[in-house]
Amino acid sequence: MTQIARPRVSLAIVVLLFGTFFLVLHIFTEDPHLDKHSNSYQTDARAIRKGATATDGSLFHIPWHFPSNPFRTYITPKGANLTQRHPPRRHVAIATDFGPHFEVYMTVAWTMTKMLTGPTESVHLYINGLGENYGEIVERSGMYNLTAGGSQQGLKKPEALVGDVLSNTLFDDDGDIGAQIDMVVLGTMKRWSADLLKIWEARPAGQKFQLVCIVHNGGDRGWMSEYAIEWVARDALRLLPMSEHITSRFVRELRGLADWTAEPFYSSLFEYVKVDVHYCIAPLPPLPSSKHMFPGKNGLANAAILGNLQQGRRNYDGTFEDLTKSLTEDAPAWGYLPKLSAGGSFEPDSSSGLTPFKLHLIGGGSHPIPEVLKNVVTHHKSLPYPEYYALVQSMDVILPAFAEGGGGYFESQGSSAIHAFVMSNVPMLATRRLRDAYRYVDDDRIVIPRPMAVTEMQAILALRTNSAKNIPNPHNSTRLARDLDQMISLGWRRPMSNFMEVKTRLWDKNEEVVWRLMRDL
């Protein structure tokens, strides 16, 4: 009996070992949704985040409360398993004197406040306030406490930055007597570079602070050669762009400076500057109904182009021309009468039962709208941020409408329209070129795939009518026909759960980046 039982026990042990092996393999297998170009992969359990839908069906998400996990575990490129409770850097100052794009550096502040929650950890903002009611977005979403006192959060004037970095009495409640700001995150480097460099030089070894620059335009090389060079030579600078294509451009520029045989560039070690992506996807609180809401009765009725009205950045003229041509060919499909009014404009057809299509231009500046489209195109400008996002959330589809060359939006510069559509839970019409540039939105769950042989207005009408009959295919391309079928079959609606899945993944990756920043990895 004993001789018969032993093989069974051995078999059980083998099965147990194999089961354990595959379980470990599964835990440490790369998440297919993680960016394959990421430097490391997060493997800790995620906090459960729940979305909410208003009773009227509008899309929003509630303020988030993330449970702190003091023992986050990551797999580094070398395969080392690092678990640390207290990061080497614990007191962060974030400063800018640039007014626009609050959502960029406030998202960095939000991620850092989620990660630095200990009694001897802090994040401070040095800015001239948050204009256009953006502070309301920040407070109501729980991103940051703008009115906090003490040493944890709060808002200070930019003029106070240099004195605070110099001080060693800011954190009297810190167990480390004489603790100082040990990381400075800048949105604009020109103002503070020289003063901060003097402070950095005066600090003894082991007490140097890290300088991190939030960047959004890889084509702007001048500041790197003028201000960044001294920081690079001291291995004290890191860059934090907001998209993968900006990262790629900066890496190329850095390598170009490193390979420049003229001094001081050749010996300044630009090759070793670390560049990490931080996605500026901020959380939005529930927003009040906007007076600009335009709910459609049926079908795709409202599309928007976001950003300042500059023809060099977005192709407004081409969009107007394309829309006019399509209305002329089939006005009823757009919800308009086939004959122009006495004033030469398309008029809505109130008897058709179809909601007339509206194109909304949301942003500052100005651009002439053709008289023929005065009832079709509406310009919304000078909106405070809560009303701006409420309006964007009321749209059916967002159009990038990038101009030829994209104003750098495809190659070196970030577009605020990209993160705005993700934040607002409204799908964007996206070509392969756009998805290649902004890889973090390369996901059919949140974008509508548009073949590049199809204009935006052609795609909108096809989605509105659920038919591609308006789109020419003169060469009978089977690949174009296939892509059109895919676009129409996927439709234009995307549930909020899709956006929440994508945003949760991006927020996790942002936390991973900050985790590495605070540990100089």
Side-chain angles (χ1 to χ4, degrees):
M1 293 294 293
T2 303
Q3 292 179 346
I4 296 175
R6 284 177 179 171
R8 293 179 180 176
V9 173
S10 301
L11 179 61
I13 293 174
V14 170
V15 171
L16 179 61
L17 289 174
F18 268 99
T20 303
F21 170 77
F22 284 110
L23 177 61
V24 172
L25 181 65
H26 172 73
I27 292 174
F28 289 98
T29 297
E30 176 187 339
D31 183 340
H33 293 304
L34 281 173
D35 181 3
K36 291 182 174 59
H37 299 273
S38 175
N39 290 328
S40 59
Y41 300 97
Q42 186 169 345
T43 60
D44 61 315
R46 309 301 187 191
I48 298 175
R49 299 166 169 92
K50 296 182 179 179
T53 304
T55 54
D56 63 356
S58 62
L59 300 181
F60 62 75
H61 53 85
I62 61 176
W64 302 104
H65 302 281
F66 297 92
S68 175
N69 179 0
F71 297 101
R72 295 180 177 276
T73 305
Y74 297 88
I75 302 302
T76 69
K78 295 181 179 180
N81 190 336
L82 298 181
T83 302
Q84 299 179 12
R85 171 62 184 94
H86 295 294
R89 304 191 184 278
R90 297 178 286 120
H91 296 295
V92 180
I94 302 176
T96 186
D97 58 2
F98 184 64
H101 297 307
F102 303 121
E103 74 279 8
V104 176
Y105 55 83
M106 284 310 307
T107 307
V108 175
W110 177 53
T111 306
M112 288 186 165
T113 56
K114 287 189 293 178
M115 303 295 286
L116 298 174
T117 59
T120 59
E121 298 169 347
S122 67
V123 179
H124 283 285
L125 283 176
Y126 296 79
I127 58 176
N128 285 315
L130 296 170
E132 300 175 2
N133 293 358
Y134 195 79
E136 180 182 339
I137 297 289
V138 172
E139 290 280 16
R140 291 179 55 203
S141 65
M143 290 172 63
Y144 189 87
N145 190 343
L146 298 173
T147 59
S151 61
Q152 294 303 307
Q153 298 185 26
L155 200 62
K156 296 187 177 184
K157 292 293 185 182
E159 293 77 14
L161 174 66
V162 173
D164 281 1
V165 177
L166 186 62
S167 173
N168 60 1
T169 61
L170 280 178
F171 312 107
D172 54 0
D173 60 340
D174 197 327
D176 179 11
I177 304 301
Q180 296 175 289
I181 290 173
D182 46 30
M183 177 173 286
V184 178
V185 181
L186 297 181
T188 43
M189 193 174 187
K190 179 179 179 180
R191 175 174 178 175
W192 292 288
S193 179
D195 289 335
L196 289 177
L197 188 61
K198 292 176 183 177
I199 300 173
W200 192 96
E201 289 281 15
R203 286 194 183 185
Q207 297 182 27
K208 307 289 190 183
F209 60 87
Q210 179 76 54
L211 185 66
V212 179
C213 283
I214 301 172
V215 292
H216 78 285
N217 188 350
D220 183 6
R221 190 175 182 175
W223 71 271
M224 287 194 287
S225 58
E226 186 172 358
Y227 303 108
I229 188 167
E230 297 293 339
W231 294 96
V232 172
R234 291 160 174 79
D235 194 24
L237 177 68
R238 297 182 71 150
L239 301 184
L240 203 62
M242 61 184 189
S243 181
E244 294 86 356
H245 73 294
I246 307 175
T247 301
S248 298
R249 179 59 181 268
F250 266 107
V251 168
R252 291 198 301 271
E253 293 293 338
L254 290 167
R255 288 174 179 171
L257 289 170
D259 204 31
W260 198 352
T261 55
E263 290 292 359
F265 300 100
Y266 196 66
S267 60
S268 292
L269 309 178
F270 276 94
E271 178 182 0
Y272 302 110
V273 176
K274 293 181 180 179
V275 185
D276 298 275
V277 180
H278 186 280
Y279 307 104
C280 51
I281 308 298
L284 292 179
L287 298 171
S289 296
S290 169
K291 63 182 179 181
H292 296 290
M293 293 282 188
F294 299 96
K297 294 179 182 178
N298 50 62
L300 195 164
N302 294 285
I305 300 174
L306 311 180
N308 287 330
L309 274 64
Q310 298 178 8
Q311 177 63 25
R313 294 189 175 190
R314 296 169 189 86
N315 188 13
Y316 295 102
D317 291 340
T319 299
F320 295 157
E321 181 180 350
D322 193 27
L323 179 55
T324 301
K325 180 177 181 293
S326 186
L327 278 161
T328 302
E329 294 173 349
D330 192 357
W334 293 94
Y336 289 84
L337 295 170
K339 292 185 179 180
L340 299 180
S341 66
S345 303
F346 285 102
E347 294 283 350
D349 185 358
S350 58
S351 64
S352 69
L354 294 175
T355 302
F357 173 78
K358 294 285 186 180
L359 176 61
H360 302 267
L361 312 180
I362 308 177
S366 62
H367 191 86
I369 299 173
E371 183 67 22
V372 70
L373 296 177
K374 74 173 186 178
N375 297 319
V376 184
V377 179
T378 304
H379 181 199
H380 311 270
K381 58 183 177 180
S382 303
L383 297 178
Y385 273 101
E387 193 171 343
Y388 167 83
Y389 284 118
L391 175 58
V392 175
Q393 287 181 337
S394 73
M395 296 294 110
D396 297 323
V397 174
I398 304 299
L399 307 178
F402 292 159
E404 185 64 31
Y409 287 143
F410 289 117
E411 304 296 335
S412 60
Q413 187 174 353
S415 168
S416 61
I418 304 300
H419 53 254
F421 93 80
V422 180
M423 290 165 55
S424 303
N425 307 320
V426 179
M428 174 174 274
L429 203 60
T431 61
R432 172 48 54 193
R433 186 184 182 192
L434 185 145
R435 295 170 70 156
D436 285 345
Y438 300 85
R439 292 200 299 271
Y440 69 97
V441 299
D442 183 15
D443 195 324
D444 285 342
R445 290 178 295 175
I446 60 172
V447 300
I448 304 167
R450 172 175 72 89
M452 287 187 279
V454 178
T455 69
E456 289 181 341
M457 289 299 107
Q458 287 175 332
I460 290 293
L461 185 57
L463 291 164
R464 180 178 166 88
T465 61
N466 200 35
S467 171
K469 66 178 183 179
N470 65 302
I471 299 176
N473 186 0
H475 303 292
N476 296 318
S477 169
T478 56
R479 287 179 291 183
L480 175 58
R482 178 200 61 202
D483 288 348
L484 286 172
D485 286 342
Q486 181 190 24
M487 180 184 75
I488 293 173
S489 64
L490 288 174
W492 57 272
R493 293 180 175 86
R494 298 293 186 273
M496 192 179 74
S497 59
N498 285 8
F499 286 91
M500 293 312 304
E501 289 170 3
V502 171
K503 283 189 281 193
T504 298
R505 173 173 59 89
L506 296 176
W507 290 335
D508 287 340
K509 294 178 73 174
N510 283 347
E511 290 183 13
E512 180 188 347
V513 166
V514 169
W515 192 94
R516 295 202 308 270
L517 284 176
M518 304 312 293
R519 289 160 177 79
D520 297 338
L521 297 177

